Amino acid sequence: MGGKITAVSSNGTYSFTKPNRESITLVAGFGVEGDVHGGSTVKHRFRMKKDPSQPNLRQVHLMHAELFEELRAAGFEVRAGELGENVTTRGVDLLGLSVGTLLHLGDEAVVEVTGLRNPCAQIDGFQKGLLKEVVGRSPDGGARFRSGIMSVVVAGGVVRPGDTVVVEPPVGPHRPLDIV
């Protein structure tokens, strides 16, 4: 099972959105070369204030392009990179993956899924009302976070739009994603 990469994005400065690029380079144990969120320890501003020595489980942010279509149907216009993701995919049920799933991106790069991205209030600063759309509700009434998944780089390489995404489930039982 797998899909395709539709866009890659990075930004060397703290900003909500990330410009699309022709390619990005993933570096093992670090993340996206030149991206402000790269590093072995946490780079998210809020988490750095709490404990800057904690491991960075959010090196690469992936989002499914199908979400943009759902948001468009709800009256929002969102394009790849505008919600801060590094890799935009199509044809992969990112939110249904297990913790520990390996995603082979292109010919060389491999990331390990660590969990869900927690949507923050900045999303409403980007487009008012959008936060409510990306949170949603699960069938049991609980919050259902739809703003992508986070991962760490286990094998580096160049990643480009058009590259394949190959999903390698982990050994053992499915472990649902939770916020990291």
Side-chain angles (χ1 to χ4, degrees), residues 128-148:
K128 189 160 179 57
L130 186 57
L131 180 60
K132 185 176 178 180
E133 288 296 321
V134 298
V135 172
R137 291 286 164 206
S138 64
D140 66 1
R144 183 171 166 251
F145 300 111
R146 305 183 317 139
S147 57

Side-chain angles (χ1 to χ4, degrees), residues 75-119:
F76 296 92
E77 188 60 40
V78 180
R79 290 180 293 281
E82 290 185 332
L83 293 181
E85 76 275 11
N86 301 109
V87 178
T88 308
T89 66
R90 179 171 295 285
V92 178
D93 178 13
L94 295 177
L95 302 178
L97 297 174
S98 175
V99 171
T101 297
L102 297 178
L103 298 174
H104 298 259
L105 308 176
D107 295 333
E108 302 172 314
V110 180
V111 297
E112 180 178 342
V113 175
T114 56
L116 294 170
R117 176 204 184 184
N118 60 323

Side-chain angles (χ1 to χ4, degrees), residues 7-174:
V8 294
S9 310
S10 67
N11 200 337
T13 60
Y14 282 105
S15 172
F16 183 70
T17 63
K18 295 186 183 220
N20 295 155
R21 309 285 183 192
E22 289 183 17
S23 68
I24 57 173
T25 301
L26 301 187
V27 178
F30 179 85
V32 179
E33 183 177 79
D35 191 84
V36 70
H37 292 106
S40 60
T41 57
V42 68
K43 299 301 178 210
H44 187 274
R45 287 179 178 175
F46 175 76
R47 287 179 169 83
M48 284 174 37
K49 285 180 185 175
K50 289 174 68 174
D51 179 5
S53 68
Q54 61 187 307
N56 186 2
L57 302 178
R58 302 164 57 100
Q59 292 175 357
V60 180
H61 177 195
L62 296 98
M63 190 171 295
H64 52 296
E66 293 86 351
L67 176 63
F68 303 146
E69 293 158 8
E70 294 172 26
L71 295 174
R72 191 171 299 112
F76 296 92
E77 188 60 40
V78 180
R79 290 180 293 281
E82 290 185 332
L83 293 181
E85 76 275 11
N86 301 109
V87 178
T88 308
T89 66
R90 179 171 295 285
V92 178
D93 178 13
L94 295 177
L95 302 178
L97 297 174
S98 175
V99 171
T101 297
L102 297 178
L103 298 174
H104 298 259
L105 308 176
D107 295 333
E108 302 172 314
V110 180
V111 297
E112 180 178 342
V113 175
T114 56
L116 294 170
R117 176 204 184 184
N118 60 323
C120 66
Q122 286 183 326
I123 293 175
D124 264 353
F126 175 67
Q127 288 185 40
K128 189 160 179 57
L130 186 57
L131 180 60
K132 185 176 178 180
E133 288 296 321
V134 298
V135 172
R137 291 286 164 206
S138 64
D140 66 1
R144 183 171 166 251
F145 300 111
R146 305 183 317 139
S147 57
I149 63 171
M150 306 308 287
S151 64
V152 295
V153 182
V154 296
V158 176
V159 179
R160 296 176 177 85
D163 283 350
T164 59
V165 178
V166 176
V167 178
E168 182 183 339
V171 175
H174 179 83

